[in-house]
Amino acid sequence: MKYILILAFSFLFSFQLSAQNKTEKKPKLVVGIVVDQMRYDYLTRFWERYGDDGFKRLIKNGYNFKNHHFNYVPTYTGPGHASVWTGTSPMNHGIIGNSWFNKFEDRFVYCAGDESVKSVGTSDDAGKMSPHRMKTTSVADQNRLFTQMKGKTIGVALKDRGSILPAGHTANAAYWFHGRNEGKWITSSFYMEELPQWVKEFNASDKAESYFKTWNTLYDIETYVESGDDINDFEGGFKGKSTASFPYDLDKLKKENGNYEIIKISPFGSDLTTDFAKAAIEGEELGQDEYTDFLTLSYSSTDYLGHNFGVNSKEVQDAYLRLDHNIADILEYLDEKVGQGNYTIFLTADHGAVDVPAYLQSVKIPGGYFNDVDFTEKLQDFVAEEFDEEGLIMNVSNGQVFFNYQILEEAGIEAENLEKTIAAYILKQEQMDKVITRSQLTSGSYTTGIRSLLQNGFNQRRSGDVIFVLNPATITYSRTGSTHGSGLTYDTHAPLIFYGAGVKQGSTTQRSEIPDIAPTVSALLGIAFPNGATGKPLFMMLDE
């Protein structure tokens, strides 16, 4: 009996130790994939057309958060990437737009722009970029700190902001694609003074140029029944081609469409990004030692395509069917180079997109277009007449009104009085849904609804004084193509899939939010949360 008990305790101890070791085993590489402008329903709408080795592999063997949302406004690329990786919203990380009006300098600033650094890999100013405007750390930063800078971080995206902001302040490198007449992957002196040899070799190859070819549908276009007609009135297209319809001869069209820039506005931009990401894994030897590395990978072409052709286009459908192949390619490469069970992936988006309002109108769904130039002129005239003072409004942009506080003070006008007057005027305008003021956002606390989203996107120092919200599916944009930025579900509902080491299989319809991603990765790695994190670890995936 005593012998049996000893065996039982021995077995139990071994089982617990094995479980503990399994839990504590960290991935050698974390790959965070952000698909620019990916709505959640692209997973479900095109599901039957996807292969088994891309999105389906992630979902069937990973954990799928089906009710995942952005918890702030505005839903743009810069704030999206920053929020995914910092675990907080613009309220704290400070990236309130792709660009925004800096009231202290009386000029617009770009979220990743930095005149204090130099371009590396090009003589163009396209490399004058850094994450210096992002006020908090990313989870990749925290991993660098935790490993005493031994774990690497490499950022890759066609867009500079899609590479720089996720990689954080301590990244070994962030690379982005400079198109135009060069077609090169570049970086900035924030990271290094010279491109590494593997990047030089990639740029010297014909990879980018090889994508100057004809873009036709991956499968028979007649089978693309999940999207609208190929020829319609709701798409932009390319200069030099009379219709926005397949096929597209990119080599023939490149001269009138920015040369290498045209690759970005095609699925071949995702192919090129995948090529470079694989080269980065090889060249930087990611996932090859005991310290966890990070690859922050953003697919930007899907956003360019959505803006050009719209979310219901055959072009967007084809882009996602091809992206499915890119995901499968990355997974196969990671299996080979890092090994199954040695890496963890998450895949999400930086925002969604609205159906083209002109299309919605054609099927009797409310939608419209807002002329911000006319609105600004009328607002300026109203305020000048109402207060008998010129220049009280410094700027109107990104759905925000900025006051000139110096003129307010000189004229003896109370800011709160101006807020209320402007808010009342704006709310009377056609196409306006809601208006909220700085005083309301700084003195109250909102936990639900659009006001909560506005508050989470409001940075006290950088944001404006009155914020207005347009009616649903009402945008400031051309009548062709889709855009984004609102707090409505077409912009906030994004995919989130975790896969690989430390991730159990399953799914949930419980609500999760974008700031939850970084704390979840931190919990999985056992490292500190990003220093401004407000999200929570997604326990349903992590807890046994």
Side-chain angles (χ1 to χ4, degrees):
M1 183 68 179
K2 182 178 179 181
Y3 179 70
I4 294 174
L5 286 173
I6 291 171
L7 283 177
F9 280 119
S10 176
F11 174 79
L12 181 61
F13 177 75
S14 298
F15 177 80
Q16 289 175 332
L17 184 62
S18 174
Q20 182 179 358
N21 289 339
K22 183 179 178 182
T23 301
E24 291 179 353
K25 181 183 177 183
K26 294 182 181 180
K28 292 184 175 182
L29 177 63
V30 174
V31 181
I33 301 174
V34 178
V35 183
D36 207 325
Q37 203 185 119
M38 184 176 184
R39 292 161 51 119
Y40 176 81
D41 67 348
Y42 289 159
L43 286 176
T44 55
R45 181 147 62 101
F46 307 140
W47 180 258
E48 297 301 326
R49 307 306 307 274
Y50 292 140
D52 292 329
D53 301 322
F55 289 120
K56 285 185 177 179
R57 177 179 170 184
L58 293 180
I59 290 175
K60 289 180 178 180
N61 298 289
Y63 204 95
N64 183 17
F65 294 87
K66 299 179 180 180
N67 190 21
H68 190 67
H69 290 267
F70 286 84
N71 69 334
Y72 64 85
V73 174
T75 43
Y76 295 139
T77 297
H81 282 80
S83 298
V84 166
W85 286 92
T86 63
T88 191
S89 66
M91 172 192 285
N92 297 307
H93 62 60
I95 304 298
I96 64 170
N98 293 334
S99 297
W100 61 87
F101 181 72
N102 186 324
K103 55 195 171 190
F104 301 103
E105 300 176 11
D106 193 16
R107 68 184 181 102
F108 278 89
V109 296
Y110 178 56
C111 64
D114 189 347
E115 289 296 321
S116 72
V117 300
K118 298 180 296 183
S119 298
V120 175
T122 179
S123 58
D124 192 273
D125 286 347
K128 291 185 174 182
M129 303 288 168
S130 85
H132 76 108
R133 288 195 169 93
M134 189 168 75
K135 301 171 73 173
T136 59
T137 61
S138 73
V139 64
D141 284 324
Q142 296 302 148
N143 183 66
R144 291 275 285 159
L145 292 170
F146 185 85
T147 62
Q148 301 302 310
M149 303 295 168
K150 295 182 179 69
K152 283 187 175 182
T153 299
I154 304 293
V156 173
L158 293 180
K159 291 182 181 180
D160 47 47
R161 58 187 179 270
S163 175
I164 292 167
L165 299 175
H169 303 276
T170 61
N172 300 82
Y175 300 104
W176 54 97
F177 185 68
H178 178 51
R180 302 181 190 174
N181 296 322
E182 295 188 53
K184 295 179 179 179
W185 290 86
I186 66 171
T187 188
S188 87
S189 61
F190 180 84
Y191 306 100
M192 64 191 72
E193 293 301 319
E194 184 180 3
L195 290 175
Q197 187 61 31
W198 70 265
V199 178
K200 291 179 180 179
E201 290 175 2
F202 190 96
N203 284 336
S205 73
D206 63 351
K207 274 293 184 183
E209 191 173 1
S210 71
Y211 291 117
F212 286 139
K213 59 183 182 180
T214 298
W215 170 27
N216 211 335
T217 52
L218 187 61
Y219 307 112
D220 182 353
I221 195 170
E222 297 302 322
T223 67
Y224 283 32
V225 296
E226 297 84 5
S227 49
D229 295 335
D230 189 30
I231 298 180
N232 57 69
D233 297 328
F234 315 116
E235 300 175 1
F238 296 110
K239 293 178 182 177
K241 194 174 190 303
S242 59
T243 61
S245 60
F246 286 101
Y248 297 95
D249 186 340
L250 301 193
D251 191 50
K252 181 180 178 181
L253 295 168
K254 66 184 180 184
K255 187 175 181 180
E256 292 187 66
N257 294 274
N259 290 311
Y260 284 96
E261 294 296 309
I262 199 172
I263 294 173
K264 298 179 182 180
I265 318 172
S266 79
F268 303 141
S270 295
D271 291 340
L272 180 61
T273 303
T274 302
D275 295 335
F276 191 79
K278 289 161 63 178
I281 294 169
E282 174 76 20
E284 298 291 341
E285 299 182 336
L286 299 181
Q288 299 305 309
D289 59 27
E290 68 270 31
Y291 300 104
T292 301
D293 298 324
F294 271 76
L295 174 65
T296 73
L297 176 59
S298 181
Y299 284 101
S300 308
S301 285
T302 44
D303 184 69
Y304 291 119
L305 283 156
H307 280 294
N308 191 353
F309 297 101
V311 304
N312 196 44
S313 64
K314 295 202 184 304
E315 287 81 358
V316 163
Q317 177 170 357
D318 192 65
Y320 278 91
L321 297 184
R322 290 174 178 272
L323 180 64
D324 184 52
H325 286 243
N326 297 136
I327 301 300
D329 190 11
I330 287 286
L331 288 170
E332 182 180 5
Y333 191 79
L334 290 170
D335 289 344
E336 176 189 341
K337 292 294 182 180
V338 184
Q340 289 192 44
N342 290 327
Y343 63 87
T344 302
I345 285 179
F346 70 80
L347 183 147
T348 189
D350 57 347
H351 52 73
V354 65
D355 266 294
V356 179
Y359 166 68
L360 293 178
Q361 291 172 340
S362 75
V363 293
K364 301 181 181 179
I365 293 176
Y369 297 89
F370 178 71
N371 190 320
D372 58 334
V373 175
D374 286 351
F375 167 77
T376 299
E377 290 178 358
K378 291 176 182 177
L379 179 61
Q380 293 273 21
D381 291 343
F382 165 77
V383 171
E385 182 177 349
E386 187 75 11
F387 289 89
D388 194 27
E389 187 71 48
E390 297 285 343
L392 292 174
I393 295 177
M394 204 172 188
N395 180 264
V396 181
S397 57
N398 288 342
Q400 301 174 73
V401 181
F402 292 82
F403 296 171
N404 189 320
Y405 279 85
Q406 182 178 341
I407 295 180
L408 257 71
E409 185 177 354
E410 292 171 354
I413 298 171
E414 293 290 334
E416 193 166 346
N417 185 26
L418 183 59
E419 282 179 1
K420 291 178 180 178
T421 302
I422 288 178
Y425 171 82
I426 292 177
L427 198 55
K428 293 176 184 177
Q429 306 309 302
E430 191 176 357
Q431 298 179 303
M432 287 296 167
D433 187 42
K434 294 177 179 66
V435 184
I436 192 164
T437 67
R438 171 178 287 272
S439 296
Q440 291 173 311
L441 290 172
T442 55
S443 62
S445 181
Y446 303 96
T447 57
T448 60
I450 189 66
R451 287 176 175 80
S452 173
L453 274 65
L454 290 168
Q455 192 166 56
N456 287 335
F458 180 84
N459 182 272
Q460 193 166 357
R461 179 174 172 82
R462 294 178 176 177
S463 297
D465 300 288
V466 177
I467 301 174
F468 55 89
V469 179
L470 301 175
N471 284 335
T474 300
I475 60 176
T476 303
Y477 203 65
S478 67
R479 293 187 65 83
T480 57
S482 296
T483 192
H484 48 86
S486 80
L488 294 156
T489 54
Y490 51 73
D491 282 336
T492 69
H493 192 189
L496 175 60
I497 310 163
F498 275 86
Y499 170 90
V503 178
K504 65 183 181 182
Q505 193 279 331
S507 65
T508 184
T509 55
Q510 290 185 63
R511 182 181 173 95
S512 57
E513 295 180 340
I514 286 291
D516 298 336
I517 296 173
T520 301
V521 176
S522 292
L524 189 148
L525 296 179
I527 63 176
F529 291 7
N531 61 15
T534 53
K536 58 188 183 304
L538 295 167
F539 65 88
M540 63 284 287
M541 184 190 81
L542 297 174
D543 294 350
E544 293 296 333

